[in-house]
Amino acid sequence: MRFQQTDFWTYFKCGHGWEKISAEYGAQKQKVTILCRLFRLGMANVALAYVPMAPEREGETEKEYIENVVAFSGLVKPKLPKNTLCIRFDFPIDFGTVGERDEFIGRSKSIAKEISGTINKNKVDIQPPDTVVLKLDKSEDELLAAMKPKWRYNIRYAMKHGVKVRAVRFGDNDFEKSLNSFYSLYEVTAERDGIGIHPKSYYSDLLERGWKSRQSDNPTDIVLYIASHEEDGKSEDLAAIIALFQKDEAVYLYGCSGNVKRNLMPAYLVQWTAICDARKFGSKVYDFYGIPPTDDEKHPMHGLYLFKTGFGGAEIHRPGSFDVPLSCLYRLYTKAEDFRAWYHKVLLKKIRGR
């Protein structure tokens, strides 16, 4: 099960504005969680229904899968809030290449017409459609050997030059201080890279829920890792990440770094520490959770692509977000969504010189 469909993640999102609706999909009655959010669109009260990383394909052909998703949407519509604009799906289908993924998207449009249903590929994706997934069924030495040589060198360079990584959980004595440091680094990253971040309380709540979940039958561990360096008796935090550990997968959720001492390679060591801990936890894979789709030097996040692919994982390309419209206001909403994405990803970055 993908982490977005677990009870842990569902209840975390319900603590931040979403509501849970449970449903069953297909002949095998696969349990699917739908998240709903109410908001205003102009003068109207509306809702968005979202199905993150579900439903899993149950041996269906592509045509059967698309047809079943459209039928599922019709069946659950009575359960949804009034004036729900659409049901948005992020399909949990992994492709090895961008071409294979894009061919699926193209076929889905033809299939929708063939079955007289409506399903649209949305321009704005909620979950990162492209990622790197590292299998953890190897020893630490084997994982290191599978990396690009420069990545092994950078990890060892950070260690040799005094970079230390601490793992922080909710309830630790230095939790508040470490959380504040993480958030300060995240603000620096957001300003540097032009990205949005949640309020600090969002990350604090996630870490607290992870701390409480550790003693459950199906634990989720949420860990804040901070890389620091001491010089002249003064310790300085340089980079940080928040990682999620479950049995099926570990996920690099959030990451940030400062603008000083980047030559010490703290980001490499903090990732390597989390990878080793994920392996010890028993996670099957480590998902780096988001890269540009291709090795395009002109892409503004090309550096992120190089960084995440260098650890030896496999590139995975998912279809992204698909919508089954349920309201006449749906097109108005998608136009507003497209404008917002253009404003933040294009206009603001040009204004800021990125």
Side-chain angles (χ1 to χ4, degrees), residues 147-157 265 268 310:
M147 293 181 190
K148 291 180 179 179
K150 182 65 172 177
W151 271 241
R152 290 194 299 274
Y153 173 83
N154 287 346
I155 290 167
R156 290 164 178 156
Y157 184 91
M265 308 301 169
Y268 292 83

Side-chain angles (χ1 to χ4, degrees), residues 245 316 343:
F245 301 130
I316 298 295
Y343 177 79

